[in-house]
């Protein structure tokens, strides 16, 4: 008779499914830091559908997504699934979440339509699920674009932090025989993501002879990207934050490395009118480009740039990318406002391409590289099953090592599960001792991303304050032909930061701000700058708002246009000014 529950590490006979299983569960009532959010429980072993497989988990890979699942932000993954289920849509009814989007294990049960795996097969799993009944998929569309697409173990329940996991058969791929269980559990999510980024984008896919610039070469994605680019016959150049990581990246196949801390031009682009700022940025980015040439040993620009830091690095990536090349991005770890100098994008016909995880075909292509021994899983640390909350807590506190981490689940010891020698002899690279993350933890994906036909109404976070409640009445203005000298005097005498430019009909046509004055001085003598006219230096198209506009909307206008003040109008006539200083006063309750 089948036992009700097996102890952890006590493997049930092949094909025997106990009714209950051990698992680490997240429940909404304990959303919070990983050490509190994850708790060990015993639950019913899930039933499988006809196209699904039940896998006995030997080891599970660790990803940041389940830190977010435990925190319950930016989405309550449990609530979202329960609501969808209640609406009769694709969802799940269980009031808990079993996370884990990477795993290695043994197939214990298959649904009646499954043909690609059988009971007893040793497998690794990719995390992309989708409905086989989706019209888009049935018509041959990329499942990544299917509305039914979900990340297993994050957007779906029954992930790998349990004795058994429920996956679709198409998620299963052969386990590389030379890898132990924890190594095999560690690489799929990051490697498949890197594969699609490098191989998934048509004419710009990486090819023999290309130069590939890889950000975060010692990180989870970057370490995979170096190896994938190298295997395609390209020349990878890795960027890291310290020379202690050079050796690691070189062993993975980088031709050379760059220490990003030798440069300081990072961040959003300076304004294109800011001659001095732009020139300084250009100097910085050119020096970075020259460094690429130096490590490459020839004056060539990278054809493909592997991006994920986002906001701080995109301007550089676009600039150094070759004519006709591609910057491919799968994350915005440092922020989402990627600034692009469009002149370089259109004149040199470069491509900025978004990419997200990978489809079944791409995951399998990647896995073949692993099976052939050409992809090191870059396992930096493995933990026992009991450490699942702890390892997520390390990530939450940014104290985890780079590379990929895994936990044992069914495997009783580290190092079990390899059944053959590696097909090719490669040196196992190790990260520098004591390596931990020094960069901020990733921003969460702002999910769900709104679509045009968004089901739920979007609620505005606003306390109802209007612009008229805080504005300063009265406009201090100048004419378009007043000189900068005159405008400067007005600013100094009235102790204000900006002067509105009014035409002869009393219409506000622009604003001269302190920033405009400073930019006017760049590259000119004081006399030349003083004799310029307001209309030459002003920011045209005066940004206005109505006195009855919500303060929150006015703030969005200012932050969106990177301005500090707006001219306030009543019946389209300028009557006052609202500034960021006024908003700050309100915040601190002055
Ligand atoms: P990781 O292991 O933490 O590596 C990220 C690397 O980025 C770090 O090693 C760091 O290397 C580098 N970095 C950090 N801050 C930087 C900055 N300001 N400028 C330049 N480089 C910086 O993370 P990962 O697993 O590679 O994942 C990277 C991002 O991709 C995360 O945001 C993750 O959520 C996302 N991701 C997306 C998908 C998808 O399908 N869309 C899949 C997997 C991961 P140095 O300090 O050495 O430079």
């Amino acid at each position: 008779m089948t036992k009700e529950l097996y102890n952890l590490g006590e493997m049930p006979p092949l094909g025997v499914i106990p009714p209950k299983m051990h698992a680490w569960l997240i429940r909404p009532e304990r959303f919070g830091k990983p050490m509190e959010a994850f708790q060990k429980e015993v639950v019913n072993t899930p039933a499988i559908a006809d196209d699904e497989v039940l896998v006995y988990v030997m080891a599970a890979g660790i990803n940041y997504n389940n830190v977010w699942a435990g925190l319950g932000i930016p989405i309550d993954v449990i609530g979202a699934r329960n609501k969808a289920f209640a609406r009769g849509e694709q969802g799940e009814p269980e009031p808990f979440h079993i996370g884990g989007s990477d795993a290695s294990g043994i197939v214990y049960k298959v649904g009646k339509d499954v043909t690609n795996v059988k009971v007893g097969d040793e497998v690794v799993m990719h995390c992309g699920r989708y409905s086989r009944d989706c019209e888009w998929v049935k018509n041959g569309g990329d499942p990544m674009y299917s509305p039914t697409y979900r990340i297993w173990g994050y957007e779906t329940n029954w992930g790998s932090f349990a004795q058994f996991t429920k996956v679709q058969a198409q998620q299963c791929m052969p386990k590389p025989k030379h890898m132990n269980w924890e190594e095999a559990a560690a690489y799929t999510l990051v490697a498949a993501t890197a594969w699609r980024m490098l191989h998934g984008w048509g004419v710009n896919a990486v090819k023999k002879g290309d130069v590939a610039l890889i950000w975060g070469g010692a990180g989870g994605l970057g370490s995979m990207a170096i190896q994938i680019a190298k295997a395609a016959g390209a020349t990878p150049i890795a960027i890291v934050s310290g020379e202690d990581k050079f050796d690691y990246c070189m062993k993975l196949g980088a031709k050379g490395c760059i220490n990003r801390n030798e440069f300081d031009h990072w961040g959003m682009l300076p304004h294109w009118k800011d001659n001095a700022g732009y020139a300084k940025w250009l100097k910085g980015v050119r020096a970075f480009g020259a460094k690429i040439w130096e490590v490459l040993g020839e004056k060539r620009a990278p054809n493909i740039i592997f991006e994920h830091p986002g906001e701080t690095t995109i301007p550089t990536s676009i600039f150094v990318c070759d004519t006709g090349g591609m910057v491919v991005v799968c994350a915005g770890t440092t922020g989402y406002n990627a600034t692009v100098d469009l002149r370089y994008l259109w004149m040199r016909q470069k491509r900025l391409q978004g990419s997200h995880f990978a489809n079944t075909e791409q995951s399998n292509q990647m896995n073949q590289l692993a099976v052939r021994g050409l992809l090191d899983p870059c396992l930096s640390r493995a933990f026992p099953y009991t450490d699942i909350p702890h390892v997520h807590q390390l990530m939450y506190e940014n104290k985890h090592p780079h590379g990929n981490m895994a936990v044992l689940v069914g495997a009783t010891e580290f190092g079990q599960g390899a059944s053959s020698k590696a097909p090719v002899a490669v040196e196992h690279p190790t990260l520098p001792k004591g390596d931990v993350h020094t960069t901020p933890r990733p921003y969460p994906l702002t999910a769900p991303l709104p679509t045009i036909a968004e089901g739920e109404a979007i609620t505005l976070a606003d306390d109802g304050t209007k612009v008229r409640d805080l504005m300063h009445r009265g406009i201090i203005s100048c004419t378009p032909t007043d000189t900068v000298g005159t405008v400067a005097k007005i600013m100094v005498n009235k102790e204000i930061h900006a002067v509105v430019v009014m035409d002869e009909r009393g219409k506000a046509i622009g604003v001269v701000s302190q920033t405009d004055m400073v930019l006017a001085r760049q590259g000119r003598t004081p006399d030349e700058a003083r004799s310029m006219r307001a209309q030459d230096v002003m920011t045209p198209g005066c940004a206005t708002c109505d006195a009855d506009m919500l303060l929150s909307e006015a703030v969005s206008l200012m932050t969106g246009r990177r301005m500090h003040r707006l001219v306030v109008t009543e019946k389209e006539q300028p009557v006052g000014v609202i500034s960021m200083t006024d908003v700050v006063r309100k915040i601190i309750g002055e």
Side-chain angles (χ1 to χ4, degrees), residues 64 189-190 193 215-222 239-242 245 260 308-309 312-313 330-334 355-357 400 402-403 437-440 442:
Y64 211 95
L189 191 148
V190 276
T193 305
W215 288 99
L221 286 174
I239 306 157
V240 285
S241 58
K245 297 179 198 167
R260 67 182 165 92
H308 47 91
T312 64
T313 53
C330 75
T333 314
T334 63
S355 193
H356 184 52
F357 190 56
H400 57 297
H402 283 98
H437 283 243
T438 51
T439 41

Side-chain angles (χ1 to χ4, degrees), residues 341-353:
D341 186 331
L342 289 173
R343 290 169 295 186
Y344 290 92
L345 200 74
W346 95 67
M347 289 300 292
R348 308 236 160 110
Q349 305 184 66
K350 304 181 185 190
R351 174 172 177 184
L352 176 58
Q353 175 67 53

Side-chain angles (χ1 to χ4, degrees), residues 102-104 123-125 173-180 183-192 195 199 223-224 227-228 231 361-378 404 418 420-426 428:
D102 258 323
S104 60
V123 290
V124 295
M125 283 144 275
M173 308 182 294
K175 170 188 167 286
K177 287 188 174 22
H178 62 283
M179 288 190 198
N180 61 39
E183 286 172 335
Y187 65 89
T188 302
L189 191 148
V190 276
W195 184 277
H199 279 286
S223 55
M224 298 297 123
Q227 300 179 79
I228 292 168
E361 191 185 353
Q362 291 161 339
S363 297
N364 277 283
Q365 287 166 345
M366 173 284 295
N367 198 53
Q368 275 311 308
L369 209 60
V371 167
R372 286 164 54 212
L374 297 174
L375 191 88
D376 190 284
C378 291
N404 300 313
S420 78
K421 281 211 162 107
V424 285
V426 281
H428 240 4

